[in-house]
Protein backbone atom coordinates (compact mmCIF):
# COMPACT_ATOMS: atom_id res chain seq x y z
CA UNK A 1 0.00 0.00 0.00
CA UNK A 2 2.66 2.51 1.01
CA UNK A 3 5.11 1.50 -1.70
CA UNK A 4 2.51 2.63 -4.23
CA UNK A 5 2.83 6.12 -2.71
CA UNK A 6 6.51 6.06 -3.70
CA UNK A 7 5.35 5.56 -7.29
CA UNK A 8 3.53 8.90 -6.87
CA UNK A 9 0.13 7.20 -6.84
CA UNK A 10 -1.66 9.02 -4.03
CA UNK A 11 -4.54 11.48 -3.97
CA UNK A 12 -2.71 13.75 -1.53
CA UNK A 13 -1.18 16.44 -3.73
CA UNK A 14 1.36 17.69 -1.19
CA UNK A 15 2.72 14.25 -0.40
CA UNK A 16 2.75 13.37 -4.10
CA UNK A 17 4.79 16.51 -4.92
CA UNK A 18 7.22 15.78 -2.08
CA UNK A 19 7.70 12.19 -3.24
CA UNK A 20 8.20 13.41 -6.81
CA UNK A 21 11.14 15.50 -5.57
CA UNK A 22 12.59 12.45 -3.82
CA UNK A 23 12.30 10.45 -7.04
CA UNK A 24 13.87 13.16 -9.23
CA UNK A 25 16.74 13.34 -6.73
CA UNK A 26 16.97 9.53 -6.94
CA UNK A 27 16.98 8.75 -3.22
CA UNK A 28 15.96 5.09 -3.43
CA UNK A 29 18.01 4.08 -0.36
CA UNK A 30 15.51 6.12 1.69
CA UNK A 31 12.49 4.11 0.47
CA UNK A 32 12.43 1.51 3.31
CA UNK A 33 12.69 4.28 5.91
CA UNK A 34 9.90 6.27 4.25
CA UNK A 35 7.62 3.21 4.21
CA UNK A 36 7.91 3.14 8.00
CA UNK A 37 7.24 6.87 8.21
CA UNK A 38 4.10 6.51 6.06
CA UNK A 39 2.92 3.67 8.27
CA UNK A 40 3.34 5.83 11.39
CA UNK A 41 1.44 8.62 9.66
CA UNK A 42 -1.50 6.30 8.99
CA UNK A 43 -1.37 5.19 12.65
CA UNK A 44 -1.65 8.91 13.57
CA UNK A 45 1.67 8.88 15.41
CA UNK A 46 2.72 11.83 13.25
CA UNK A 47 0.88 14.39 11.11
CA UNK A 48 1.07 15.12 7.40
CA UNK A 49 3.14 18.23 8.17
CA UNK A 50 5.61 15.98 9.98
CA UNK A 51 5.80 13.67 6.95
CA UNK A 52 6.49 16.62 4.63
CA UNK A 53 9.14 17.97 7.00
CA UNK A 54 10.87 14.57 7.11
CA UNK A 55 10.85 14.29 3.30
CA UNK A 56 12.35 17.78 3.03
CA UNK A 57 14.97 16.87 5.62
CA UNK A 58 16.00 13.82 3.61
CA UNK A 59 16.32 15.97 0.48
CA UNK A 60 18.46 18.52 2.33
CA UNK A 61 20.76 15.82 3.65
CA UNK A 62 21.19 14.04 0.31
CA UNK A 63 21.42 17.14 -1.91
CA UNK A 64 23.93 18.92 0.31
CA UNK A 65 26.09 15.80 0.25
CA UNK A 66 25.93 15.73 -3.55
CA UNK A 67 27.10 19.34 -3.75
CA UNK A 68 29.88 19.18 -1.18
CA UNK A 69 32.99 17.39 -2.34
CA UNK A 70 34.24 14.48 -0.26
CA UNK A 71 30.78 13.22 0.73
CA UNK A 72 28.92 12.20 -2.42
CA UNK A 73 26.46 9.35 -1.97
CA UNK A 74 28.67 6.97 0.03
CA UNK A 75 26.89 5.57 3.05
CA UNK A 76 23.30 6.28 2.07
CA UNK A 77 22.25 2.64 2.27
CA UNK A 78 23.70 2.31 5.76
CA UNK A 79 22.38 5.70 6.92
CA UNK A 80 18.78 5.07 5.93
CA UNK A 81 18.78 1.41 6.94
CA UNK A 82 19.61 2.43 10.51
CA UNK A 83 17.74 5.74 10.68
CA UNK A 84 14.41 4.38 11.94
CA UNK A 85 16.13 2.82 14.94
CA UNK A 86 16.84 6.35 16.22
CA UNK A 87 13.21 7.52 16.00
CA UNK A 88 11.64 8.59 19.29
CA UNK A 89 7.91 7.91 18.89
CA UNK A 90 6.85 9.47 22.19
CA UNK A 91 5.09 12.27 20.29
CA UNK A 92 5.18 13.92 16.87
CA UNK A 93 7.68 16.58 17.93
CA UNK A 94 10.25 14.16 19.37
CA UNK A 95 9.73 11.93 16.32
CA UNK A 96 10.98 14.59 13.90
CA UNK A 97 13.61 16.02 16.26
CA UNK A 98 15.16 12.57 16.82
CA UNK A 99 15.60 12.14 13.04
CA UNK A 100 17.26 15.55 12.78
CA UNK A 101 19.57 14.70 15.67
CA UNK A 102 20.54 11.38 14.12
CA UNK A 103 21.53 13.02 10.83
CA UNK A 104 23.36 15.93 12.46
CA UNK A 105 25.47 13.50 14.52
CA UNK A 106 26.80 11.81 11.37
CA UNK A 107 30.55 12.22 10.95
CA UNK A 108 33.17 12.09 8.20
CA UNK A 109 31.86 10.73 4.87
CA UNK A 110 28.30 10.50 6.23
CA UNK A 111 28.21 14.04 7.58
CA UNK A 112 25.42 16.57 7.01
CA UNK A 113 27.20 19.58 5.36
CA UNK A 114 26.66 22.87 7.20
CA UNK A 115 25.57 26.17 5.62
CA UNK A 116 29.00 27.69 5.03
CA UNK A 117 30.38 24.57 3.37
CA UNK A 118 27.28 23.99 1.25
CA UNK A 119 26.90 27.60 0.09
CA UNK A 120 30.59 27.98 -0.80
CA UNK A 121 30.65 24.78 -2.86
CA UNK A 122 27.39 25.55 -4.68
CA UNK A 123 28.31 29.15 -5.50
CA UNK A 124 31.80 28.32 -6.74
CA UNK A 125 31.09 25.01 -8.52
CA UNK A 126 32.18 25.30 -12.16
CA UNK A 127 30.09 22.41 -13.48
CA UNK A 128 26.66 22.51 -11.85
CA UNK A 129 25.21 21.62 -15.26
CA UNK A 130 27.06 18.31 -15.20
CA UNK A 131 25.59 17.22 -11.87
CA UNK A 132 22.95 14.48 -12.09
CA UNK A 133 20.73 16.52 -9.75
CA UNK A 134 20.87 19.71 -11.86
CA UNK A 135 17.27 19.63 -13.15
CA UNK A 136 16.03 18.67 -9.66
CA UNK A 137 17.85 21.68 -8.20
CA UNK A 138 16.54 24.15 -10.78
CA UNK A 139 12.95 22.90 -10.38
CA UNK A 140 13.12 23.20 -6.59
CA UNK A 141 14.48 26.75 -6.94
CA UNK A 142 11.73 27.56 -9.45
CA UNK A 143 8.87 26.07 -7.44
CA UNK A 144 9.87 27.41 -4.02
CA UNK A 145 6.98 29.54 -2.73
CA UNK A 146 5.23 29.22 -6.10
CA UNK A 147 1.54 29.54 -5.26
CA UNK A 148 0.17 28.35 -8.60
CA UNK A 149 0.68 24.99 -10.30
CA UNK A 150 4.19 23.60 -9.91
CA UNK A 151 6.51 23.35 -12.91
CA UNK A 152 7.67 19.78 -13.62
CA UNK A 153 10.52 18.24 -15.57
CA UNK A 154 8.25 17.11 -18.41
CA UNK A 155 7.60 20.70 -19.49
CA UNK A 156 11.06 22.28 -19.46
CA UNK A 157 14.73 21.79 -20.28
CA UNK A 158 17.87 23.39 -18.89
CA UNK A 159 18.93 26.59 -20.64
CA UNK A 160 22.40 28.16 -20.62
CA UNK A 161 21.77 31.91 -20.60
CA UNK A 162 25.25 32.47 -22.02
CA UNK A 163 25.62 29.66 -24.61
CA UNK A 164 28.02 26.77 -24.22
CA UNK A 165 29.69 27.65 -27.52
CA UNK A 166 30.48 31.31 -28.24
CA UNK A 167 33.37 30.84 -30.68
CA UNK A 168 31.27 32.17 -33.57
CA UNK A 169 29.44 34.86 -31.60
CA UNK A 170 31.06 38.29 -31.47
CA UNK A 171 28.29 39.67 -29.24
CA UNK A 172 28.92 37.06 -26.52
CA UNK A 173 32.70 37.46 -26.82
CA UNK A 174 32.23 41.21 -26.32
CA UNK A 175 30.23 40.54 -23.12
CA UNK A 176 33.28 38.80 -21.61
CA UNK A 177 36.03 41.01 -23.05
CA UNK A 178 39.41 40.19 -24.54
CA UNK A 179 40.03 37.27 -22.15
CA UNK A 180 36.78 35.51 -23.11
CA UNK A 181 38.53 32.24 -24.02
CA UNK A 182 39.69 31.78 -20.41
CA UNK A 183 36.64 33.24 -18.65
CA UNK A 184 33.91 31.42 -20.56
CA UNK A 185 34.76 27.79 -19.54
CA UNK A 186 34.83 28.79 -15.87
CA UNK A 187 31.38 30.39 -15.75
CA UNK A 188 29.24 28.84 -18.50
CA UNK A 189 28.13 25.80 -16.44
CA UNK A 190 27.83 27.56 -13.07
CA UNK A 191 24.55 27.96 -11.19
CA UNK A 192 24.25 31.65 -12.12
CA UNK A 193 24.20 30.92 -15.86
CA UNK A 194 21.46 28.25 -15.78
CA UNK A 195 17.69 28.54 -15.98
CA UNK A 196 14.75 26.55 -17.37
CA UNK A 197 12.80 27.06 -20.58
CA UNK A 198 10.44 25.56 -23.13
CA UNK A 199 12.17 27.52 -25.90
CA UNK A 200 15.65 26.02 -25.91
CA UNK A 201 15.86 25.47 -29.66
CA UNK A 202 14.37 28.89 -30.44
CA UNK A 203 16.98 30.68 -28.33
CA UNK A 204 19.93 28.52 -29.45
CA UNK A 205 23.14 30.60 -29.38
CA UNK A 206 21.44 33.94 -29.96
CA UNK A 207 22.66 37.12 -28.31
CA UNK A 208 21.36 38.09 -24.86
CA UNK A 209 19.19 40.81 -26.39
CA UNK A 210 17.62 38.30 -28.79
CA UNK A 211 17.09 35.74 -26.02
CA UNK A 212 15.30 38.37 -23.98
CA UNK A 213 12.96 39.14 -26.88
CA UNK A 214 12.29 35.43 -27.50
CA UNK A 215 11.72 34.34 -23.90
CA UNK A 216 13.10 36.26 -20.95
CA UNK A 217 11.15 39.53 -21.29
CA UNK A 218 7.84 37.68 -20.93
CA UNK A 219 9.03 34.66 -19.00
CA UNK A 220 6.55 32.78 -16.76
CA UNK A 221 9.44 31.35 -14.73
CA UNK A 222 10.65 32.84 -11.47
CA UNK A 223 14.20 31.71 -12.23
CA UNK A 224 14.37 33.98 -15.28
CA UNK A 225 12.39 36.94 -13.97
CA UNK A 226 15.45 38.99 -13.02
CA UNK A 227 16.85 38.80 -16.55
CA UNK A 228 14.24 41.08 -18.08
CA UNK A 229 15.71 44.16 -16.36
CA UNK A 230 19.27 43.59 -17.61
CA UNK A 231 20.94 44.88 -20.76
CA UNK A 232 24.08 42.76 -20.52
CA UNK A 233 24.92 39.25 -19.40
CA UNK A 234 28.55 38.89 -18.36
CA UNK A 235 30.81 37.44 -15.65
CA UNK A 236 29.71 39.94 -12.99
CA UNK A 237 26.00 39.32 -13.58
CA UNK A 238 26.49 35.54 -13.55
CA UNK A 239 28.36 35.70 -10.24
CA UNK A 240 25.68 37.97 -8.72
CA UNK A 241 22.96 35.53 -9.75
CA UNK A 242 24.95 32.58 -8.38
CA UNK A 243 25.09 34.35 -5.01
CA UNK A 244 21.36 35.14 -5.11
CA UNK A 245 20.35 31.58 -5.99
CA UNK A 246 22.73 30.15 -3.38
CA UNK A 247 21.03 32.29 -0.70
CA UNK A 248 17.70 30.88 -1.86
CA UNK A 249 19.12 27.34 -1.78
CA UNK A 250 19.94 27.77 1.92
CA UNK A 251 16.25 28.39 2.57
CA UNK A 252 15.13 25.35 0.56
CA UNK A 253 17.70 22.75 1.63
CA UNK A 254 17.94 23.69 5.29
CA UNK A 255 20.51 22.40 7.74
Amino acid sequence: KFFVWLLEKTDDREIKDAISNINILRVKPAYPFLLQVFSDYKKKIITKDNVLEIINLIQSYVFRRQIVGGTGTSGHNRTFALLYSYVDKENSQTYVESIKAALIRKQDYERFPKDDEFSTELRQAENVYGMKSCIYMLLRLENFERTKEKINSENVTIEHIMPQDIHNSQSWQDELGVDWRNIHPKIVNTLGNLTITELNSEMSNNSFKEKKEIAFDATPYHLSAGLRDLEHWNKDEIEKRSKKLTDLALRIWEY
Side-chain angles (χ1 to χ4, degrees):
K1 175 182 176 180
F2 297 124
F3 186 78
V4 170
W5 290 14
L6 293 172
L7 304 178
E8 301 173 37
K9 297 179 188 290
T10 170
D11 293 332
D12 190 303
R13 186 69 193 180
E14 289 178 296
I15 289 180
K16 182 177 180 179
D17 286 345
I19 293 170
S20 176
N21 287 329
I22 286 283
N23 289 336
I24 297 172
L25 188 56
R26 301 175 189 174
V27 196
K28 288 186 177 181
Y31 279 9
F33 171 72
L34 286 172
L35 293 177
Q36 293 169 305
V37 170
F38 296 157
S39 178
D40 288 340
Y41 167 52
K42 277 302 181 182
K43 294 174 184 174
K44 301 188 185 303
I45 296 174
I46 53 176
T47 66
K48 184 172 80 169
D49 285 343
N50 296 142
V51 174
L52 296 174
E53 185 176 4
I54 290 166
I55 293 176
N56 281 332
L57 177 63
I58 290 172
Q59 290 179 71
S60 291
Y61 175 70
V62 171
F63 182 66
R64 281 177 178 240
R65 283 164 51 77
Q66 288 186 1
I67 295 299
V68 173
T71 55
T73 59
S74 298
H76 282 170
N77 286 323
R78 172 181 166 82
T79 296
F80 290 114
L82 296 175
L83 189 55
Y84 193 73
S85 66
Y86 296 103
V87 174
D88 183 345
K89 295 193 280 187
E90 182 176 339
N91 58 59
S92 61
Q93 181 175 352
T94 59
Y95 191 108
V96 177
E97 293 303 315
S98 63
I99 297 172
K100 292 179 181 178
L103 292 178
I104 287 173
R105 285 199 300 264
K106 297 294 181 185
Q107 299 294 322
D108 301 323
Y109 70 91
E110 287 185 275
R111 75 185 186 277
F112 196 145
K114 296 182 179 180
D115 284 354
D116 56 348
E117 189 178 21
F118 172 63
S119 61
T120 298
E121 291 287 341
L122 182 57
R123 188 177 67 254
Q124 296 180 356
E126 291 186 3
N127 191 21
V128 172
Y129 177 67
M131 296 176 181
K132 66 179 183 179
S133 54
C134 184
I135 188 64
Y136 159 84
M137 174 186 59
L138 294 176
L139 288 173
R140 286 297 313 272
L141 290 166
E142 171 64 31
N143 287 322
F144 186 62
E145 296 183 340
R146 175 180 278 275
T147 56
K148 296 183 179 179
E149 187 174 357
K150 305 292 186 184
I151 306 301
N152 62 61
S153 58
E154 296 176 0
N155 299 332
V156 297
T157 57
I158 300 172
E159 167 70 13
H160 287 78
I161 303 168
M162 177 175 289
Q164 291 176 285
D165 183 1
I166 63 171
H167 285 81
N168 297 318
S169 174
Q170 188 63 49
S171 65
W172 282 115
Q173 293 171 20
D174 291 344
E175 291 281 7
L176 296 181
V178 293
D179 198 28
W180 66 268
R181 292 181 185 274
N182 292 319
I183 296 173
H184 180 259
K186 295 179 180 179
I187 62 174
V188 67
N189 292 316
T190 60
L191 176 58
N193 192 48
L194 303 177
T195 188
I196 56 175
T197 185
E198 294 179 58
L199 302 171
N200 197 296
S201 59
E202 287 87 342
M203 285 191 280
S204 186
N205 290 348
N206 287 335
S207 68
F208 182 59
K209 180 181 178 181
E210 290 168 331
K211 285 193 172 190
K212 285 183 62 182
E213 293 172 352
I214 294 169
F216 299 147
D217 283 345
T219 181
Y221 303 119
H222 295 170
L223 269 178
S224 303
L227 302 176
R228 62 170 64 101
D229 299 322
L230 300 175
E231 295 299 324
H232 297 279
W233 190 247
N234 49 37
K235 181 175 182 287
D236 288 343
E237 294 297 342
I238 290 172
E239 289 178 346
K240 283 183 195 175
R241 187 166 176 270
S242 287
K243 173 63 167 59
K244 180 180 178 181
L245 292 180
T246 297
D247 290 343
L248 180 59
L250 288 172
R251 297 173 58 199
I252 298 173
W253 296 281
E254 293 180 308
Y255 178 72

